[in-house]
Amino acid sequence: SPAGMVLSVLVILLLSVLYEALKMGKAVLLQRALLALPRSLSRESLLEPEEGDTGPTQGRWFRYHLSQTLFHVVQVVLGYMVMLAVMSYNTWIFLGAIAGSTLGYFV
């Protein structure tokens, strides 16, 4: 039905926007993770706090890395969902995916 097709296109559009938002969020997390890394990457400096280092900052890089991993898993799942929708060879769904990707990148 026409209403079902419009709803399908809107869902694919929103999934594409979410995919692009996750991609940008992952880039921001990468930047924060790189800033949170200690100066020395020896095993001891990663496991033990440096002199004058406070507790809350200890392990912050690991939380950023864990967040990036979770974002990556969600991004892969969304990417495959959008790909499967596009592989239905429906022109409107394809255009919805393209429009959503464009809108997500623009925002």
Side-chain angles (χ1 to χ4, degrees), residues 12 15 79-90 93-94 97:
I12 295 302
L15 285 176
Y80 276 115
M81 288 172 62
V82 171
M83 180 195 67
L84 286 173
V86 167
M87 291 300 289
S88 70
Y89 298 107
N90 185 308
I93 289 179
F94 174 74

Side-chain angles (χ1 to χ4, degrees), residues 7-101:
L7 183 63
S8 296
V9 170
L10 286 176
V11 166
I12 295 302
L13 187 133
L14 291 176
L15 285 176
S16 296
V17 169
L18 183 60
Y19 177 85
E20 291 293 330
L22 281 173
K23 196 165 67 170
M24 294 303 296
K26 210 167 83 169
V28 168
L29 277 175
L30 175 63
Q31 183 180 17
R32 290 183 182 173
L34 290 175
L35 292 175
L37 276 174
R39 289 188 182 108
S40 170
L41 289 179
S42 68
R43 183 181 182 126
E44 292 80 22
S45 70
L46 292 175
L47 296 176
E48 299 173 7
E50 296 177 4
E51 291 180 21
D53 198 10
T54 59
T57 60
Q58 180 64 23
R60 187 172 48 169
W61 61 272
F62 181 74
R63 284 179 288 202
Y64 285 132
H65 184 65
L66 185 64
S67 299
Q68 276 183 303
T69 303
L70 294 175
F71 269 44
H72 177 74
V73 169
V74 172
Q75 183 183 2
V76 167
V77 169
L78 282 175
Y80 276 115
M81 288 172 62
V82 171
M83 180 195 67
L84 286 173
V86 167
M87 291 300 289
S88 70
Y89 298 107
N90 185 308
T91 304
W92 294 111
I93 289 179
F94 174 74
L95 292 175
I98 297 298
S101 181

